Amino acid sequence: MSRPGRAAEDTVVRRARLRIVWTTGVVVTLLVTLVGAVAYTVMTHAQDAQVRREVRYGAAYGDPERPPGCMWLYGPGGTRASDGPKDFPLWADLDRVRLTGEPVERTVRRGGAAYRVRTQLRRDGDVVQAVLDLRLQLADRDHLWLALGAAEGVGLVSAVAAGLVLGCRAVAPLAEALARQRRFVADASHELRTPVTRVHTRAQMLARGAVRDGLPARHRDGLAAVVASLGRLGEVLDDLLSSATLSPGQAWAATRRRVDLVALARAAADEEADRARERGLAVRVDGPPHPLWVDGVASALRRAVGELLNNAVTHTPPGGSVVLTLTRGHGAVELTVADTGRGFEAGEAERLFRRFHRGGGGRYGLGLALLREVVTSHGGTVAASGRSGHGARFTVRLPQSAPSPPVSAERVRAWHGWRAAVPLSGRPRPVAGPGRPDRSRR
């Protein structure tokens, strides 16, 4: 039984192979159709020209007693040929030519057959009507349609066979690249997880020792930040390992939880507080006092919000401000990160989220493309707006989490207690609340 990760790779390869087969079939079909249309057009034009030449020659010079093949001639007075088709001659055309002297030529259908009829005045003063049977020309056209249909079928079958061969050969490097990528991610995540876990444990021990030894508060807070960063790094490695061993849907489902976007945004702002202070920036979070829940992967959403905040702090000059605003409405939770920085041109808004595109004078990079992937994988949207020299504004909309069962008053008080707590600073440790598991035993 194949692993889910391998099954996901097989799905990607199979879809790529099908696209090649489909594209090859469409191209070959269009080419055969185009060639057939050109051939049919050329043939019909040639036949029409030949029919006009023959019927005009017969009407002008043909002998009614010995007419050319597939043609009947009606002489003066409309004398009817003994073996001619019914309903001929056309008396109206004969009378018209006698009155006007101008020739009349048209195609007439009688009894399921088509005839080319020309009535004209000869040099000797006689009015002659030539009737040419078009069944041979129409039969040739039908045969051409059958040949084109057969060629279309053969071409389509050949295209499918060629597409299968080309697909197998062209997709083989893709399959190998996907397999190598997955192996690399799995191996790197596995090898890095052990040393990161050791460093995380060591940092926790140092942080507890700092509290026990009475080190200054700024040192304790710095160690607390190191512990938190290492913990998030471990979560990133866990996500990478899960994505390498599970299919994308299974990887997300395995770690999807209810996440408080307000608490997540405040935590991201706290992480950027030192850098913002060094740059002389004011970072503010405007959100409701109650949680705004969304369903998702906390570590992935934390990285997405952190990317937006990092861009805002990086692109805002000293003395500016960055505001994170959280609102709820129409079944969605909206997070807006607005800054007073350099901004970007209006035409760059959509291109900022493309991979390897560096818009706004090279200030934005691959992070926003990864941010969009995280948001869209959670069923949300992200948009950017701004003007050069007037700041930037990024808006993330995520589906609101379904209401949970009623929460007891004790759990509400516990959640507010966690909000008021500051770890490793001499005050009480965080208390686990709704959507906030206790990680003290990790």
Side-chain angles (χ1 to χ4, degrees):
M1 182 176 180
S2 62
R3 295 181 295 106
R6 179 61 181 275
E9 293 176 3
D10 293 341
T11 300
V12 173
V13 172
R14 184 168 59 253
R15 289 177 179 174
R17 187 181 296 115
L18 289 177
R19 280 195 295 268
I20 293 176
V21 173
W22 181 84
T23 303
T24 305
V26 169
V27 170
V28 172
T29 301
L30 291 177
L31 287 176
V32 173
T33 302
L34 179 61
V35 172
V38 172
Y40 185 82
T41 302
V42 171
M43 177 180 173
T44 54
H45 278 273
Q47 284 184 338
D48 292 340
Q50 181 183 3
V51 166
R52 285 193 296 268
R53 288 193 301 268
E54 290 183 3
V55 75
R56 289 177 182 180
Y57 182 85
Y61 306 105
D63 184 358
E65 298 298 332
R66 292 185 297 275
C70 299
M71 184 182 296
W72 298 271
L73 295 175
Y74 298 87
T79 305
R80 181 178 178 222
S82 59
D83 58 344
K86 295 180 180 180
D87 302 325
F88 287 101
L90 300 178
W91 297 104
D93 291 355
L94 290 171
D95 295 339
R96 179 178 175 182
V97 171
R98 289 192 187 97
L99 291 175
T100 64
E102 297 294 331
V104 176
E105 183 176 337
R106 58 195 177 105
T107 299
V108 179
R109 294 187 179 275
R110 292 287 188 273
Y115 303 91
R116 188 72 176 180
V117 181
R118 180 178 176 84
T119 308
Q120 73 174 48
L121 182 65
R122 287 187 173 183
R123 293 180 181 179
D124 57 6
D126 293 337
V127 177
V128 177
Q129 186 173 98
V131 180
L132 179 63
D133 193 347
L134 300 179
R135 280 179 288 186
L136 292 179
Q137 287 80 3
L138 295 180
D140 290 341
R141 296 183 185 184
D142 292 339
H143 294 157
L144 179 60
W145 277 118
L146 292 175
L148 291 177
E152 191 78 24
V154 173
L156 184 57
V157 173
S158 301
V160 171
L164 290 174
V165 175
L166 292 176
C168 293
R169 292 180 175 273
V171 174
L174 172 62
E176 180 63 22
L178 289 174
R180 290 184 178 182
Q181 175 185 345
R182 186 170 295 277
R183 287 196 300 268
F184 171 78
V185 173
D187 294 343
S189 302
H190 184 271
E191 294 298 326
L192 289 174
R193 188 167 57 173
T194 298
V196 168
T197 302
R198 291 176 180 173
V199 174
H200 186 211
T201 303
R202 183 61 178 170
Q204 286 179 320
M205 295 174 62
L206 291 175
R208 294 191 184 98
V211 175
R212 184 176 59 253
D213 297 339
L215 291 181
R218 65 178 185 275
H219 296 316
R220 298 199 301 270
D221 292 341
L223 286 173
V226 171
V227 172
S229 298
L230 289 172
R232 283 186 288 276
L233 179 58
E235 292 176 352
V236 171
L237 293 176
D238 288 339
D239 291 344
L240 290 174
L241 188 59
S242 296
S243 65
T245 55
L246 298 175
S247 63
Q250 291 173 324
W252 285 120
T255 55
R256 189 176 292 272
R257 301 288 188 274
R258 297 185 74 216
V259 180
D260 178 14
L261 208 58
V262 175
L264 192 146
R266 295 186 187 279
D270 291 341
E271 292 179 5
E272 292 288 343
D274 291 338
R275 191 160 72 100
R277 192 180 304 110
E278 292 176 358
R279 297 176 58 87
L281 305 178
V283 178
R284 188 176 76 253
V285 179
D286 292 340
H290 53 78
L292 294 179
W293 300 106
V294 297
D295 290 326
V297 181
S299 57
L301 293 176
R302 187 184 298 112
R303 291 195 296 275
V305 176
E307 177 65 24
L308 289 179
L309 190 56
N310 174 69
N311 275 332
V313 172
T314 301
H315 306 148
T316 303
S321 63
V322 179
V323 180
L324 287 78
T325 306
L326 296 105
T327 57
R328 177 179 59 191
H330 303 290
V333 176
E334 185 173 287
L335 167 67
T336 301
V337 179
D339 61 64
T340 58
R342 294 183 292 267
F344 50 83
E345 297 294 336
E348 290 286 321
E350 181 62 27
R351 291 192 292 270
L352 292 177
F353 298 99
R354 295 179 183 174
R355 285 181 176 271
F356 308 111
H357 175 77
R358 299 182 63 82
R363 296 191 297 272
Y364 296 93
L366 185 61
L368 292 180
L370 301 177
L371 160 71
R372 168 168 281 187
E373 290 185 5
V374 170
V375 174
T376 54
S377 65
H378 284 75
T381 60
V382 58
S385 61
R387 290 186 302 164
S388 182
H390 293 80
R393 182 185 184 93
F394 290 84
T395 303
V396 175
R397 288 180 59 86
L398 294 170
Q400 183 180 353
S401 177
S404 59
V407 182
S408 64
E410 291 76 8
R411 291 182 63 84
V412 173
R413 286 194 295 270
W415 185 84
H416 285 290
W418 168 77
R419 288 284 305 277
V422 178
L424 303 179
S425 60
R427 282 181 279 180
R429 291 182 57 80
V431 180
R436 181 75 180 186
D438 187 2
R439 301 182 181 274
S440 60
R441 297 185 181 181
R442 292 185 56 178

